[in-house]
Amino acid sequence: MVQYHVMREGPNYFMVSYKGSSVLRQDPKDAWRVMGVAKFTEKAQELKQWCLDIHDEWNKKKEKSRKDTSFASEAQVEEAERSEALEPNDNTKMIT
């Protein structure tokens, strides 16, 4: 039996129960390797593909991060816009 656990914080993992023992694996191929010699059967190959698919699907969802809406990030953007608009020599005059 293989279960995929999605964590809000930290890495996702597989819980693999096989022959009376359970192990946690973060890598989908490591989850498949727990099966030992049985990994060469047709069902084990399907399990390997499922592990790879589910891992890719959830990792893509995790990579999409939310926009930073904190006050500090807004202040940094405003400061950058002001510094781009002003030249260092805007308030100076050259007299010859």
Side-chain angles (χ1 to χ4, degrees):
M1 178 175 78
V2 178
Q3 296 177 353
Y4 189 66
H5 294 260
V6 179
M7 309 273 60
R8 184 170 45 160
E9 296 176 5
N12 299 337
Y13 63 90
F14 292 92
M15 185 181 77
V16 183
S17 300
Y18 183 68
K19 285 191 174 180
S21 68
S22 296
V23 293
L24 300 179
R25 299 288 188 241
Q26 292 179 358
D27 185 48
K29 287 189 178 178
D30 284 342
W32 171 70
R33 288 182 185 123
V34 170
M35 302 193 68
V37 248
K39 67 184 174 190
F40 299 110
T41 63
E42 184 179 327
K43 291 292 183 186
Q45 295 298 323
E46 291 173 11
L47 175 68
K48 176 185 176 184
Q49 189 58 47
W50 176 82
C51 289
L52 292 170
D53 292 343
I54 198 81
H55 185 69
D56 289 342
E57 177 184 336
W58 280 99
N59 277 346
K60 286 179 185 174
K61 288 181 182 178
K62 255 191 172 180
E63 288 173 1
K64 296 178 183 176
S65 61
R66 294 186 302 184
K67 181 181 177 184
D68 186 10
T69 57
S70 66
F71 176 75
S73 66
E74 292 174 9
Q76 288 177 346
V77 170
E78 290 174 3
E79 181 66 31
E81 289 172 355
R82 278 187 281 181
S83 65
E84 289 174 4
L86 295 176
E87 288 287 323
N89 297 329
D90 282 349
N91 296 328
T92 60
K93 186 182 248 185
M94 184 174 180
I95 302 173
T96 56

